[in-house]
Structures are given as structure tokens and as C-alpha cells.
Amino acid sequence: MSTIAERVAGFTSGLQADALPADVLEKIRVTLLHNLAVALADDVVTGVSFRYAEALGAGSGARLFRTGAAAAPDTAAFVNATMIHARAQDDVYFPGLTHVGATLVPAVLALGEELDASGADLVAALAAGYETAGALSQGFAPRTTPRGFRATGVYGVLGAAAGAARLLGLDTATTADALGIATSLAGGTNQTWVAGSQEWLFQVGFCARNGLLAARLAAAGGAGAPDAFEGAQGFYRALLGEETDLSTVATDLGETWRVRDVTYKPLPVCAILQSPVTDALSLRAEHTLTPELVGAARLSLSPGEAAYPGTDSVGPFRGAGDALMSAQFCLAVALEKGTVTASDLLRTDDAGLLELARRIAVVPDPALASRSFRLEIDLRDGGRVEHVGEDGAADFNWDREGLLAQIAAMSAEMPPDEVVAGLVDTVLDVENRSVRDVVSAMVTS
């Protein structure tokens, strides 16, 4: 019987863009455009990444987004990943709690630029990465997250390795080696959300860079454990802390396309909070709410989401990372301002905002399913505003028109219109362009 690595590699190593279902091809175009668009939008946290690249000195083979500075592919993969993730607005695969795009896209763009790869090969590499990360995280991330592992850190590198291996043209056996090697490069904890530190940003960079490393090592003859995933001392046993049935993992690749379930984020806040904060903005407008009118508020979430590190926090906030995770902080911004922008994530010493946040409670409710919520706002005049949302992530599985509308809504935080238009034109025709064309569309200075 084949191993998990062999099953995944057998599928991904032979992927061709022209063999993808039409809706999957379109989904990859739209998803790539979403991730690149949010990388161009304003953010408040990528200074460290740029200073890191500057300290390394000039490299060659790839370029950084925005500046176009030449860099080695592994450096470009790291820095560009942090740009995609900086606003916490990149895509998410909810069944695996993983930000696949921020870990995969920069890896294959950096490698593809070095190789002067075609847009069609880029599409195939992206499909390989999304399906790999999705299949290997689905059903496991909800079990590994309570143990302290950040799903993006431990599963994202697997997608990046598969995508890089496909772009390098590795055969099935060598791709399986790359995946095996990648299991030893997986890691990352959720303590960052509690501490307000920046590992959350760096983790996506580690995945992108390490995915390249795993594929290159395999291409150079490096061997990965054949049973790296299911072995008695392997990936899943280590992460789960117990044995589990792995017989069906990755057996439906090519039948189930998990990229179809990748969703997007309209706001620079945590994925769990997208629907609650979006609906809070609507309630504020509908009922003309102001902070002075709000007496108290309660956000009820499924127990797992209410307990996700950083979700239930009234501070003190140490930076943008713990602010964007806090339901209280993000709802307070929405109710006070009527919108949420990246710059709001730095308002962690705003006394009025924090006082409003302290009037908001997060309530775990076993009756609520994942991605569902109930928002109750008690008014000081004795009234109440209430809204129940179910499976909010479905609202953000945009098509092309929906994404273009979202990009337009972000225009105040985006580069000049001609830059954005050039990116849109290039990415929506990606299979007929080159990787270098895509990266060039990301250079704004």
C-alpha cells in the first residue's frame, strides 16, 4: 500500500494547468489575485522583514514585492510571505485552519522567477500546493491547535514544498522525498497571539522558505522518510500525541478539490472575526450606533473558536498581532469607527477604544457550529440589537466580480489605480503570462 507522501506526490507531480477543471482554474486565478492585492495594501508590520533583507545584502534570482529589490529566492519567499500575511487578510482554508496562500504563493513565485517559469506551470504548482496543504491539514488542524501548534506553521510548509517540487519538475519519488523532508521543517506555536509578539508574521515566511529548501534538497538527492507522515515517530503521531487512523488521508486527490473551499477576508482582522466584525459594521450603520449608545455587547462563538489563542482578550495589547486577534478590540474599532483599516491595529493605547472593548464579552456556546456566531448589543436606553450568523466563511468565497469589488473597497489603502489595474490584468490572464510578469506587476516603486 502506498504511503501518504507517495499518494500526494503521485497526484501533484503530474499536474498540468490545462487538465484542471475550469472552475478550479478560475479559483486559482482569483485566489492568487486576492493574496497579491492584500500584499500591496497598507500594513504596519513588515518593517522587520525589509530590514532583514537589507542586512543580508543584495541577492539575485528573485525580487521583493513593492520595491522590486533583487534577492535570493529564499529571501524573497520569506519577505514576500510576510507581505501577503501582514494585514491578516490573506486567504484561509478553514477545514485545516491554514493560510495556504501566504505560505505557498511567495515560494512558487520566487522559485518561478529564478527558473523563468511560465504562468501555466505556476498555476499547476499552485494547484499542487493548495491540494496538498488542504488534504494534509483537513481534520487534523482542529486537533493539533489545542496542543499549541499553529496550523499554518505546521501544514503550510507541506503545500509550499509540493508547489516548489512541481515547479522544479520533480518526479513522484523525488516529490515524496521533498514532502518527507518538509515534515522536519514544520513548526510554530500559537503563543505569539498571547504574547503579542511577531512570530505569527514570520511563521508564513519560514514555511515559504522551508518549502523551497525541502524541494531543493530532494532535487539534490536528499531522502525523506518514506513513512514521514504515518510512521510511529512521524508527523501525525508527534503532532497529535496519539495514534490515529490515517488510511483515508489524501486518497481523494483529484476528485475533491479543496481549493474550492478556500475563502478570503474583507477586513484586516483574524479569520474567526471576519463575519462578526463585518456584521457589526452593518448593524452600526443600520441602527446608527455610537460608542455612547452601547452599554455592553456579547459575541458568542463555538467553544473552539472562543478558546482560540488571542480571541478573548481585552489587553494589554503589545502590537498589531494580538490586536487583530482580539474580538473585543476589533469589534470596538468597528462600532466606534464604522470601518477597520490596518492603521487601526496600532491604536492599542487609545483609552476610549479600550474602554469600549472592555464592555464586550466573548461567550463560548456549544450550540454554535464553527464559523457561526451570535452578536448581542445592549443599548443604554434599554434596547437591544442582535444578529445571528451561520457559516459566515461562505460569504467570503468570492468569484471574480466579488473580488474586484473588494479590491475597489480597499482603494484608499492601495497603490495608484494604474498599478492595481496592471496587477488585475496580469493575474487574471496568468496562464498566458510568465512568473516574471506576475512579480513585475507587484513592483510599485
Side-chain angles (χ1 to χ4, degrees), residues 44-423:
V44 294
V45 295
T46 50
V48 172
S49 299
F50 281 103
R51 291 193 293 273
Y52 164 75
E54 290 171 2
L56 290 179
S60 63
R63 287 173 287 171
L64 305 185
F65 296 163
R66 301 183 194 161
T67 67
D74 59 340
T75 302
F78 178 89
V79 176
N80 292 341
T82 67
M83 277 189 264
I84 291 175
H85 196 47
R87 295 168 54 91
Q89 210 169 340
D90 46 309
D91 72 38
V92 61
Y93 176 67
F94 255 113
L97 303 177
T98 299
H99 298 284
V100 182
T103 55
L104 169 65
V105 169
V108 294
L109 285 181
L111 178 60
E113 188 166 26
E114 180 185 51
L115 299 174
D116 193 17
S118 69
D121 280 338
L122 171 64
V123 167
L126 290 170
Y130 274 103
E131 298 310 309
T132 297
L136 298 180
S137 63
Q138 183 179 2
F140 298 109
R143 298 166 62 185
T144 56
T145 297
R147 289 172 56 81
F149 295 107
R150 188 181 179 206
T152 296
V154 296
Y155 302 107
V157 67
L158 307 175
R166 170 59 187 83
L167 210 52
L168 286 168
L170 304 187
D171 62 19
T172 297
T174 313
T175 299
D177 281 325
L179 291 168
I181 293 167
T183 64
S184 289
L185 297 170
T189 74
N190 281 311
Q191 185 62 27
T192 180
W193 303 125
V194 179
S197 54
Q198 286 192 297
E199 291 96 338
W200 66 274
L201 184 64
F202 305 145
Q203 285 163 353
V204 293
F206 299 154
C207 288
R209 182 192 63 194
N210 288 344
L212 290 185
L213 176 60
R216 289 192 192 276
L217 286 171
D227 54 352
F229 291 98
E230 60 271 80
Q233 300 294 315
F235 182 77
Y236 287 117
R237 179 65 176 80
L239 288 175
L240 295 169
E242 61 185 11
E243 294 184 5
T244 194
D245 181 12
L246 301 171
S247 60
T248 63
V249 176
T251 57
D252 61 350
L253 289 169
E255 299 173 7
T256 300
W257 290 91
R258 290 169 175 83
V259 72
R260 289 170 171 154
D261 295 323
V262 169
T263 55
Y264 315 113
K265 302 183 198 173
L267 298 167
V269 303
C270 161
I272 293 170
L273 303 178
Q274 293 293 320
S275 292
V277 175
T278 298
D279 287 356
L281 292 172
S282 297
L283 292 174
R284 181 186 186 276
E286 179 182 352
H287 298 279
T288 320
L289 298 178
T290 65
E292 294 74 25
L293 292 177
V294 175
R298 291 167 300 284
L299 175 65
S300 298
L301 298 168
S302 68
E305 291 175 345
Y308 194 92
T311 300
D312 184 3
S313 174
V314 293
F317 300 106
R318 302 166 186 84
D322 51 351
L324 66 87
M325 290 299 296
S326 166
Q328 289 92 332
F329 184 89
C330 295
L331 286 170
V333 172
L335 292 172
E336 178 219 56
K337 187 180 174 185
T339 187
V340 182
T341 63
S343 61
D344 290 314
L345 302 177
L346 296 182
R347 297 174 57 201
T348 54
D349 58 355
D350 185 317
L353 184 63
L354 296 178
E355 194 278 329
L356 177 57
R358 286 191 288 270
R359 286 184 254 149
I360 302 171
V362 172
V363 180
D365 185 346
L368 290 173
S370 175
R371 302 193 294 276
S372 299
F373 70 94
R374 182 172 60 256
L375 179 61
E376 302 166 287
I377 303 174
D378 297 331
L379 306 181
R380 285 180 166 160
D381 64 4
R384 173 182 289 186
V385 174
E386 182 174 345
H387 179 75
V388 175
E390 298 183 0
D391 193 15
D395 297 336
F396 308 128
N397 196 341
W398 299 316
D399 58 12
R400 179 181 297 205
E401 288 71 25
L403 175 58
L404 294 177
Q406 170 62 24
I407 292 173
M410 294 169 55
S411 60
E413 296 183 276
M414 295 289 285
D417 290 347
E418 59 269 21
V419 173
V420 177
L423 177 66

Side-chain angles (χ1 to χ4, degrees), residues 422-437:
L423 177 66
V424 170
D425 290 345
T426 300
V427 175
L428 293 182
D429 187 40
V430 62
E431 65 270 28
N432 298 309
R433 307 293 185 98
S434 70
V435 172
R436 289 179 180 172
D437 290 336

